[in-house]
Amino acid sequence: MGPEVKAIQTDAKPSASADVVVIGGGIVGVSTAYTLAQRGVSVILCEKGHIAGEQSSRNWGWVRRNGRDPRELPLMMESFRAWNEFASKKLDTGFTVCGVVSIAKTDADRARHKQFVEDARAFQIGSRVITSNEIREILPGYAGDGRSALYNPTDARAEPQRAAPAVALAARDLGAEIVQNCAVRGVELQAGRICGVVTELGYIRTSQVVVAGGAWSRLFCGNLGVDLPQMKVLSSVCRTAPLSGLPETSAYFGGVAYRKRDDGGYNIAPSVGLNVPIVPDMLRLARMYLPAFMAERKSVKPRLDSRFLTELLTPRSWDLDMPTVFEKTRVLDPKPNIALTRSKVADLQKLFPTAGPIHILQHWGGLIDVMPDAVPVIDTVAKIPGLTISTGYSGHGFGIGPGAGVLTADLATGKTPCVDPSPFRLSRFTDGTPMRLIGGF
């Protein structure tokens, strides 16, 4: 079972029309709806399951600028502005400044950290490389051998099980319609332009559609003839009972990471050995993903399980007058790799031997929507006027989600973008742009 997400009351069914329809109720989708509603744009958000049912409630809960791909930094600055706005309006997101530290395990890590500080200098975010003595000051009780680390004292955390529901309610208060258990089957076109969407609860007239469907986005876009080169990675997380022996600062140690929770427990997650489900799309996209797989071969492992048959038997195109897979599977709830998570909890115990026993209360899995260069697609689709895609956040989506919602809303309504959207264009995978793979943290 997945984590317990804050349940919210939403609209029973959508209205007959809206300026924009947002598909997907994760952090990006609800942030897009919130921004549009703030601007007086009529918007309906349709979620086939419940708000934050998938990866938006299953992630680590980090809100970091530290170690970001430089292409994401301008958007992350916009996201921090949005997180602070939510906090000023007393939205129940759990946003808390706690600092983030990433331990360097190798010379390559140290070089990457130094390069990040240089790349980020213009943004004045406060990240710096710290020494082993400083690590022990920031992480009391740490007994590891880290000689340096990348540290940002003003980075933050939030509560994934509460954040997207809180933003969804705020969007609704501003006039957005938020409809749960409402799968969108597809988009209808007239003279080559979007004229509406077909949902299981009825037809919605609209000229603008945002696809923020997370791990479902490739399948949905494929039915429109849009090839989105997206794959999935299984992430496993556990939460602990309240614990006093780990620091407040969120930390990454090369193989395991943690984040303190508001309830006094911690989220602990492995960052190596992550499983990539072997599915038919792995063969279709193999050439495009080979550089990423080679760069991350120590961090990811292919896994053959029931997803291969499930996706093999899932239609890749369908008519809109019959129930679809989106109604059949309301929430992706994959089985976590419990053995891996337990082994990383044991590793963390060794790093903090004075912390006392770490009692695990729950494990869960989530499917991360990834792109070949680990940078999202936030773009309009020229061949389908009115279609905007916002997906492929590659495990970075929770923290950057509110800012991504602003950019997505900008693109969907033709407003001047809050940041340069060119690094996130879909065409980068087909226009000969060299693939840039930058290690995280």
Side-chain angles (χ1 to χ4, degrees):
M1 294 291 292
E4 185 177 349
V5 180
K6 182 179 179 180
I8 59 172
Q9 291 258 330
T10 56
D11 299 278
K13 62 179 300 184
S15 294
S17 65
D19 294 331
V20 183
V21 172
V22 176
I23 302 170
I27 189 67
V28 174
V30 299
S31 297
T32 302
Y34 174 87
T35 303
L36 291 169
Q38 265 191 325
R39 297 173 181 174
V41 177
S42 67
V43 55
I44 300 173
L45 182 149
C46 297
E47 164 54 48
K48 64 182 174 53
H50 59 270
I51 297 299
E54 296 183 341
Q55 190 56 24
S56 285
S57 66
R58 296 162 186 256
N59 58 83
W60 297 0
W62 286 25
V63 181
R64 67 176 174 90
R65 292 159 296 191
N66 219 29
R68 284 270 175 184
D69 188 304
R71 290 168 288 185
E72 293 183 343
L73 272 175
L75 192 56
M76 194 61 217
M77 300 297 288
E78 175 63 28
S79 200
F80 248 79
R81 182 206 61 76
W83 280 108
N84 279 296
E85 176 185 321
F86 296 158
S88 71
K89 293 185 175 182
K90 303 291 193 285
L91 301 194
D92 182 25
T93 65
F95 180 74
T96 304
V97 173
C98 61
V100 167
V101 64
S102 174
I103 304 297
K105 302 291 289 184
T106 66
D107 289 340
D109 290 339
R110 284 184 277 278
R112 190 170 64 251
H113 290 170
K114 289 179 181 178
Q115 184 61 53
F116 175 79
V117 171
E118 289 301 311
D119 292 339
R121 196 176 301 281
F123 297 96
Q124 298 182 332
I125 61 175
S127 291
R128 59 190 178 91
V129 174
I130 60 175
T131 65
S132 59
N133 287 338
E134 291 175 294
I135 292 171
R136 283 164 175 77
E137 290 175 6
I138 293 163
L139 303 179
Y142 173 65
D145 58 359
R147 289 183 290 160
S148 72
L150 182 65
Y151 176 53
N152 189 314
T154 61
D155 275 350
R157 64 179 190 244
E159 295 298 329
Q161 289 87 52
R162 304 202 314 260
V167 178
L169 288 177
R172 193 165 181 251
D173 288 344
L174 292 168
E177 292 183 30
I178 309 292
V179 190
Q180 300 180 100
N181 294 305
C182 180
V184 174
R185 294 174 178 173
V187 173
E188 285 199 338
L189 306 178
Q190 188 174 57
R193 299 186 64 89
I194 288 175
C195 62
V197 299
V198 177
T199 83
E200 64 177 299
L201 298 181
Y203 187 79
I204 306 172
R205 295 190 308 276
T206 189
S207 61
Q208 298 290 332
V209 172
V210 171
V211 178
W216 295 93
S217 297
R218 173 171 166 79
L219 180 64
F220 187 91
C221 289
N223 197 44
L224 294 170
V226 177
D227 188 13
L228 179 70
Q230 183 183 63
M231 293 283 289
K232 307 178 189 72
V233 172
L234 174 65
S235 174
S236 299
V237 181
C238 70
R239 69 176 178 92
T240 75
L243 181 65
S244 61
L246 292 181
E248 284 276 335
T249 302
S250 298
Y252 169 81
F253 300 95
V256 61
Y258 70 74
R259 186 265 303 179
K260 189 172 184 180
R261 300 168 56 93
D262 278 0
D263 60 13
Y266 283 76
N267 278 9
I268 299 174
S271 52
V272 296
L274 305 184
N275 294 121
V276 180
I278 297 173
V279 295
D281 273 345
M282 182 178 283
L283 304 177
R284 299 182 186 111
L285 300 173
R287 181 176 297 180
M288 194 173 292
Y289 274 87
L290 185 59
F293 180 77
M294 294 304 295
E296 300 293 336
R297 61 189 179 276
K298 294 181 180 179
S299 299
V300 297
K301 293 182 179 179
R303 182 174 88 167
L304 182 61
D305 57 20
S306 62
R307 285 219 62 80
F308 184 90
L309 188 59
T310 296
E311 296 199 14
L312 181 66
L313 297 177
T314 298
R316 299 178 68 199
S317 62
W318 55 87
D319 296 326
L320 306 186
D321 58 354
M322 296 289 289
T324 64
V325 66
F326 307 118
E327 289 128 292
K328 180 181 177 182
T329 304
R330 298 287 178 180
V331 175
L332 285 172
D333 188 23
K335 292 182 179 179
N337 188 336
I338 293 176
L340 176 63
T341 303
R342 284 177 173 161
S343 72
K344 295 306 173 184
V345 170
D347 290 346
L348 189 63
Q349 191 94 64
K350 294 174 185 175
L351 292 173
F352 292 89
T354 62
I358 299 176
H359 299 293
I360 300 173
L361 298 181
Q362 186 184 16
H363 297 264
W364 63 75
L367 288 175
I368 298 172
D369 48 318
V370 301
M371 303 307 297
D373 57 359
V375 171
V377 169
I378 313 172
D379 198 6
T380 55
V381 179
K383 73 175 185 177
I384 305 180
L387 182 65
T388 303
I389 298 173
S390 190
T391 193
Y393 286 85
S394 305
H396 313 155
F398 180 70
I400 209 170
V406 176
L407 177 58
T408 303
D410 291 343
L411 296 178
T413 56
K415 190 176 185 294
T416 301
C418 61
V419 301
D420 176 12
S422 61
F424 313 117
R425 69 193 187 283
L426 177 59
S427 64
R428 70 185 188 268
F429 300 113
T430 56
D431 64 8
T433 300
M435 189 77 68
R436 291 175 59 196
L437 288 167
I438 299 175
F441 302 106

